[in-house]
Amino acid sequence: KIEESNIMNEKAMDNMQKENNPIFLDCLGLKTNILNAQFKYEESIKLGFEILKDDQNHYTALKSLTKSYAHLGNHRASIFFNRLADGNIRFEIKDNGNVDLFIHHKDKIPING
C-alpha cells in the first residue's frame, strides 16, 4: 500500500516542525523508500542527499541511496553507500575543508588533497 503510506507520511510531515527535527528526517527517509518503490530513483537520490546535509550518518537515507543506485546500474556507488550505512567507512570533514575517508574506522585516506 505504497500510495496510502505516501499520503499518511505527507500528512505527518505537513504537521511537524522541520528544523532540527530527527523525526522529520525519518519521514523524509520513508519518502525516499516510497520513491524507490515507485521507480523514481533520481528523485529518491536527490532527497537522500538533502537528508545527508542535515545528518551525514542517516541510516535510512544511506540505505535508500544504496537501492537507488543499484537500480540505476551504478553498482560502485551502491556499494559505497551501503558501506557508509553499515559503518564500514565514514567521513571526517576538517576545518580547512579537506575530507578524510576512514576505512573500517582504522586507516585514513585523504580524498581531496
Side-chain angles (χ1 to χ4, degrees):
K1 298 190 177 190
I2 295 298
E3 290 302 322
E4 186 177 328
S5 176
N6 190 38
I7 291 167
M8 298 306 289
N9 191 46
E10 291 292 332
K11 284 181 181 180
M13 289 191 305
D14 287 343
N15 292 305
M16 75 174 61
Q17 173 192 349
K18 292 162 181 50
E19 295 294 318
N20 300 320
N21 186 348
I23 297 171
F24 183 76
L25 290 180
D26 288 343
C27 288
L28 289 177
L30 174 58
K31 185 159 182 74
T32 64
N33 288 325
I34 291 168
L35 290 168
N36 278 331
Q38 295 172 329
F39 311 110
K40 297 177 182 177
Y41 307 119
E42 291 88 0
E43 288 179 51
S44 180
I45 289 170
K46 183 178 176 183
L47 185 56
F49 281 114
E50 287 300 314
I51 296 168
L52 293 179
K53 286 179 185 178
D54 290 325
D55 179 359
Q56 68 185 21
N57 297 309
H58 195 276
Y59 183 80
T60 305
L62 293 168
K63 282 297 193 177
S64 184
L65 286 165
T66 298
K67 188 172 187 175
S68 298
Y69 279 114
H71 282 289
L72 291 173
N74 189 339
H75 299 292
R76 186 176 195 159
S78 178
I79 290 167
F80 174 75
F81 285 107
N82 193 51
R83 289 182 179 165
L84 276 173
D86 292 339
N88 294 324
I89 58 176
R90 66 183 174 92
F91 290 106
E92 177 184 282
I93 301 172
K94 299 187 173 205
D95 291 337
N96 65 5
N98 287 345
V99 178
D100 285 343
L101 182 66
F102 292 81
I103 299 178
H104 304 294
H105 298 282
K106 182 179 174 187
D107 302 316
K108 284 187 187 180
I109 302 170
I111 59 174
N112 65 349

